[in-house]
Amino acid sequence: MNSMTLTDEATPATQVVSAEQRYATELAFLAAHDDGPRPPGWLLTPRAVVTFICGSGDETLSLPARDGLPSRLRVAPKFVGERALVERCVVTLAGERGLLLVGEPGTAKSMLSELLAAAVCGTSALTVQGTAGTTEDAFRYGWNYALLLAQGPSRGALVDSPVLTAMRSGRVARVEEITRCLPEVQDALVSILSDRRVSVPELAGTDDAQAAAVPGFTVIATANLRDRGVSEMSAALKRRFNFETVDPISDAEAETSLVRRQATAVVQRAGAGFAVDDAVLEALVTVFRDLRTGRSDEGWDVERPGTVMSTAEAVQVAASLGVAAAYLPGSDVLDLVPGHLLGVVRKDDPADHGRLLGYWDGPVRRRAEDGSAMWRRLWDLRETLR
């Protein structure tokens, strides 16, 4: 078979495809390619997990002919960030230690969590979404009340949580936005991560009174540093995790490439091709980066809005521009940029409207005066921000 660069499958029948489905061929190839030692329960070697997430660079991997697998494959990177960060995450999981990914919203913590789980154990589906309404049952167990009433407490009436399922099967459990859970709910994980077992008092005196974790079980959690409604984690729970900070993308070119790639995927799912000019995307990413960091590449100070100007938000704006270009012909997508930016900054603090205007009166105006036609057009659109 010919060399491949990516293993995205054919157009999916669902809006969102899990990492283990989307990259099934790639995962199978890497499992066959690297036959080195694996931690208990792992589908790939730790080295192959890193390659899966970070890519193989310019190297094209080779494999003897096998049914259903390509003979050569270049693994494309899926996470834009430091390889050392991914390696630390993999080492943490190999040691069956809890991993907590922290950072600002929109820095791909959830995506990294999903990729790690898919590569380590073959599924990212054992997930708890943390909210203010999440209860301890989401981490421990619940009951099938029809069976409970008919038969009384029994193993058959017990409903395992995603975490308990991961414990019994030696896989990775994911907890999204753990700090949105109430502190007393979060602390249900303390005994799970330390004792590696869940007690079921209702089944006392039976063989099912305790469920013990089998080798391979661990937990990946994510937490936003800036989020209303965040509940502080207890010191006891923090000690059960290794913390890794996922920072915003530092390289402008890499961020632009990521925004283009992900926005293209969104527009394709909407049934159209992505037709937004590269110059427009570069300007859009520049605005997000300036407002996120509080300083432009030229060294001009920028008042940062309270809203997080994340890469994820930039992707959504770029996707909206792409959909408009595809389905609302005749309009200049550049003319739509200020309105979409205003929609982003108004999400949290009304005063951010003034900060966006201040950005227009600063860097946008200066770039327009320097002769850039793109920024001149954006400066002319200032009135649309009022």
Side-chain angles (χ1 to χ4, degrees), residues 28-377:
F29 181 97
L30 288 169
H33 180 266
D34 190 343
D35 59 359
R38 294 165 168 78
W42 282 43
L43 299 183
L44 302 182
T45 66
R47 178 173 55 188
V49 174
V50 175
T51 300
F52 171 68
I53 295 172
C54 298
S56 59
D58 295 330
E59 181 184 3
T60 299
L61 307 180
S62 299
L63 188 69
R66 299 198 182 196
D67 291 342
L69 292 178
S71 60
R72 303 178 70 230
L73 177 70
R74 183 172 66 81
V75 182
K78 301 162 190 66
F79 172 74
V80 181
E82 294 182 359
R83 186 183 184 90
L85 166 66
V86 177
E87 290 176 345
R88 291 195 302 271
C89 291
V90 170
V91 168
T92 293
L93 298 176
E96 296 183 337
R97 173 84 170 166
L99 172 65
L100 183 62
L101 303 174
V102 301
E104 293 187 349
T107 51
K109 299 182 298 298
S110 295
M111 183 183 75
L112 179 56
S113 167
E114 180 184 6
L115 291 170
L116 285 166
V120 168
C121 69
T123 179
S124 59
L126 299 175
T127 303
V128 176
Q129 178 60 55
T131 70
T134 301
T135 66
E136 284 191 33
D137 291 358
F139 298 137
R140 295 169 60 81
Y141 57 86
W143 296 98
N144 180 324
Y145 287 102
L147 288 177
L148 184 65
L149 292 173
Q151 305 174 0
S154 66
R155 178 66 184 93
L158 196 72
V159 178
D160 290 358
S161 70
V163 176
L164 185 51
T165 299
M167 292 178 66
R168 294 186 192 274
S169 57
R171 291 184 283 183
V172 177
R174 301 169 58 219
V175 183
E176 290 293 306
E177 300 190 75
I178 187 173
T179 51
R180 291 190 62 81
C181 300
L182 296 176
E184 58 268 26
V185 174
Q186 294 179 29
D187 282 345
L189 283 173
V190 172
S191 61
I192 291 173
L193 291 174
S194 57
D195 300 334
R196 301 287 164 156
R197 60 174 58 90
V198 170
S199 297
V200 187
E202 296 89 342
L203 301 181
T206 72
D207 292 339
D208 298 308
Q210 278 194 341
V214 303
F217 165 70
T218 190
V219 174
I220 305 175
T222 64
N224 289 328
L225 297 178
R226 294 173 58 184
D227 192 5
R228 293 178 181 176
V230 163
S231 298
E232 178 67 20
M233 294 174 66
S234 68
L237 184 56
K238 287 179 179 179
R239 288 195 298 271
R240 269 68 181 181
F241 283 103
N242 282 357
F243 280 58
E244 291 293 346
T245 301
V246 182
D247 293 316
I249 300 173
S250 59
D251 182 73
E253 184 176 345
E255 184 170 9
T256 303
S257 177
L258 176 65
V259 169
R260 181 187 300 107
R261 185 168 63 251
Q262 294 197 355
T264 298
V266 173
V267 176
Q268 287 176 344
R269 288 201 301 270
F274 188 71
V276 177
D277 189 81
D278 285 349
V280 175
L281 277 184
E282 290 170 4
L284 176 67
V285 171
T286 296
V287 173
F288 270 83
R289 293 177 63 84
D290 290 350
L291 291 172
R292 182 193 309 146
T293 61
R295 195 169 183 82
S296 72
D297 285 343
E298 298 90 344
W300 304 324
D301 289 334
V302 175
E303 187 175 6
R304 297 174 60 188
T307 299
V308 177
M309 304 296 291
S310 68
T311 303
E313 290 281 6
V315 169
Q316 294 306 313
V317 173
S320 296
L321 297 179
V323 171
Y327 290 118
L328 299 175
S331 59
D332 187 340
V333 293
L334 186 61
D335 293 351
L336 306 178
V337 169
H340 283 291
L341 288 171
L342 189 55
V344 172
V345 301
R346 274 180 168 170
K347 288 184 177 179
D348 290 326
D349 185 356
D352 285 343
H353 183 185
R355 296 184 180 102
L356 184 61
L357 282 171
Y359 177 76
W360 239 254
D361 293 335
V364 173
R365 177 181 59 80
R366 291 184 179 185
R367 289 166 183 154
E369 290 173 347
D370 287 342
S372 169
M374 175 76 67
W375 292 98
R376 179 67 202 182
R377 179 58 186 155

